[in-house]
Amino acid sequence: MTTTATALGTLDTVSNGPRDAIISLALDGIVHWMTPGDGYRFHHDGLDWRVTGGRFRGAALTRAGQPVYHLPMVHGDETLSVAHAYTAQVGPDGSWELWRLNR
């Protein structure tokens, strides 16, 4: 099976030294969690959105302790579809790009 990816745009992030966070989101209660050089995969486990990558192995993606259904983007929120997985990585301009994985 071949997997392709569709670029969705730039995640709305804030920086804290060597780490970045998606605005208003947390992973297992940790706000600043993405490290440039690492890639992150977002997938739905049937109950919640989980993130793997860096030091995280299936961490829960939350907003104020509640499940997340969309990600803040520079152009507006991107609604997540349980039919797809997503990845985030730093692009050539230094911003975090979101990609939808297509099967």
Side-chain angles (χ1 to χ4, degrees):
M1 176 187 327
T2 301
T3 300
T4 60
T6 302
L8 299 176
T10 303
L11 288 163
D12 194 3
T13 60
V14 61
S15 183
N16 181 16
R19 295 173 294 176
D20 300 303
I22 301 173
I23 296 293
S24 76
L25 301 186
L27 275 180
D28 284 350
I30 298 171
V31 175
H32 295 281
W33 49 270
M34 296 188 305
T35 304
D38 289 336
Y40 298 86
R41 184 175 187 271
F42 302 80
H43 65 280
H44 199 271
D45 68 0
L47 296 174
D48 294 309
W49 284 93
R50 300 285 175 176
V51 178
T52 56
R55 64 184 180 150
F56 297 98
R57 302 288 177 256
L61 183 62
T62 61
R63 174 179 285 116
Q66 299 299 310
V68 169
Y69 301 100
H70 56 268
L71 294 178
M73 306 288 288
V74 171
H75 66 271
D77 289 348
E78 181 69 38
T79 300
L80 299 172
S81 167
V82 297
H84 297 282
Y86 301 82
T87 62
Q89 60 196 30
V90 173
D93 67 354
S95 61
W96 284 93
E97 299 175 343
L98 181 66
W99 296 75
R100 181 181 60 229
L101 301 178
N102 309 306
R103 294 180 226 165

